[in-house]
Amino acid sequence: MHNNTNSFFLIAGPCVVENKAITFEIAENLKTITTKLNIPFYFKASYKKANRTSIHSFSTIGEDKAIDILKNIKEILNLKIVTDIHETSDIKKIKNIVDVIQIPAFLCRQTELLIAAGETGKIINIKKGQFANATQMQFAREKVLSTGNNKIWITERGNSFGYEDLIVDFRNIPILKSQGNNVVLDITHSLQQPNKENGITHGQPQFAETLAKCGIIAGVDGIFLETHPNPELALSDGKNMLRLDTIEDMLRKLLAIKV
């Protein structure tokens, strides 16, 4: 579990592994920034995206190729790695590479998936479903705890508000913390605008810093964000990703208000 009380920790990276060059560029930049600011850092990138809206949306460059890139980043840059899984069969592919296994929001109630993830003994980051309230997440937590694994993070990422918007209820933060978890706030996915007619999720990344500041004041343990040098060119979730060159300034502001 994360126990550095002097700072929040950061989970950040691109939405998905696009290629070796861009993934290393993002990882190296984030490592430099977080080392300078003394922020504990976990590099996140999906090796595949299984829950895309459209069949035409980008999914993966190839599972084995993407996993090898994550492995190289872990070994060469000495970074802790986060990636998500969608089926129990995914665990065998990534369990020897990652430090944190992430459960996507849409799958936070999948009992077999949570139990199989918990049995690895890794940190399990469960993203709160857009359909779930904070109190309900105790049941997801119990599924992982049933394996004897108490290394659990819960990530707040907004609730569905109508058909095409999400909203963060900051009352969720103390509720989730009271359950005994480390609590993370996802400041980019919380600003998604899903269910667009063209099958491409939109977003409002201009409000990410505001969400992050509110999260720090509310007492979150970690901040989750997705970033890219050129979000407009990103292969997944570019509409709500943050520009890589804006990250350091925002993190400095968050450290200044950490209480």
Side-chain angles (χ1 to χ4, degrees):
M1 299 289 282
H2 171 77
N3 56 14
N4 183 337
T5 58
N6 297 321
S7 174
F8 53 90
F9 61 91
L10 179 69
I11 306 171
C15 181
V16 64
V17 175
E18 297 183 358
N19 57 57
K20 186 172 183 178
I22 196 72
T23 310
F24 262 85
E25 177 186 350
I26 297 168
E28 288 171 340
N29 274 272
L30 290 172
K31 179 179 180 179
T32 298
I33 293 167
T34 53
T35 299
K36 184 193 309 183
L37 300 180
N38 195 28
I39 296 173
F41 172 52
Y42 297 79
F43 179 75
K44 181 271 167 187
S46 299
Y47 72 96
K48 70 173 180 179
K49 299 296 292 183
N51 55 347
R52 303 308 308 277
T53 300
S54 170
I55 195 171
H56 303 295
S57 296
F58 177 80
S59 178
T60 181
I61 59 172
E63 293 182 19
D64 292 341
K65 186 176 180 180
I67 290 170
D68 281 343
I69 290 171
L70 292 177
K71 181 180 180 182
N72 289 338
I73 286 174
K74 182 179 181 70
E75 294 173 347
I76 295 171
L77 299 182
N78 192 30
L79 289 176
K80 295 177 180 179
I81 302 295
V82 182
T83 200
D84 38 5
I85 60 172
H86 301 85
E87 303 177 41
T88 56
S89 58
D90 292 343
I91 294 174
K92 185 177 180 180
K93 303 172 189 174
I94 55 91
K95 70 177 182 179
N96 294 325
I97 298 167
V98 303
D99 300 274
V100 181
I101 295 176
Q102 183 166 285
I103 307 296
F106 285 122
L107 301 177
C108 70
R109 294 181 63 177
Q110 296 297 105
T111 302
E112 289 184 3
L113 189 66
L114 288 164
I115 289 175
E119 288 174 344
T120 66
K122 303 282 185 179
I123 297 170
I124 310 301
N125 182 30
I126 311 171
K127 303 195 85 173
K128 182 177 72 63
Q130 301 92 322
F131 46 82
N133 65 39
T135 303
Q136 291 171 337
M137 292 306 294
Q138 66 183 306
F139 301 113
R141 179 175 182 269
E142 286 173 0
K143 293 173 183 179
V144 176
L145 284 174
S146 73
T147 69
N149 184 349
N150 66 353
K151 294 180 286 186
I152 303 167
W153 300 349
I154 304 291
T155 294
E156 166 64 47
R157 49 97 71 234
N159 282 92
S160 295
F161 188 70
Y163 289 109
E164 295 185 347
D165 208 353
L166 298 170
I167 190 167
V168 174
D169 181 349
F170 283 95
R171 294 176 298 180
N172 287 340
I173 305 304
I175 294 171
L176 292 170
K177 287 179 71 72
S178 73
Q179 295 168 6
N181 317 292
N182 270 352
V183 177
V184 180
L185 176 62
D186 183 339
I187 64 171
T188 48
H189 290 96
S190 293
L191 292 168
Q192 283 182 331
Q193 294 176 311
N195 302 319
K196 295 298 182 181
E197 291 182 1
N198 62 1
I200 299 174
T201 295
H202 290 196
Q204 297 178 309
Q206 67 269 29
F207 299 123
E209 183 176 306
T210 299
L211 279 190
K213 290 175 178 176
C214 292
I216 294 297
I217 292 171
V220 296
D221 302 288
I223 295 290
F224 178 110
L225 62 89
E226 289 183 343
T227 184
H228 195 282
N230 299 291
E232 62 276 7
L233 301 179
L235 298 180
S236 177
D237 276 2
K239 297 289 188 179
N240 51 268
M241 294 170 77
L242 301 180
R243 292 190 64 86
L244 186 58
D245 60 10
T246 68
I247 301 302
E248 181 173 348
D249 180 64
M250 183 184 71
L251 292 177
R252 288 184 180 277
K253 292 175 182 176
L254 299 184
L255 287 172
I257 61 174
K258 177 75 169 67
V259 292

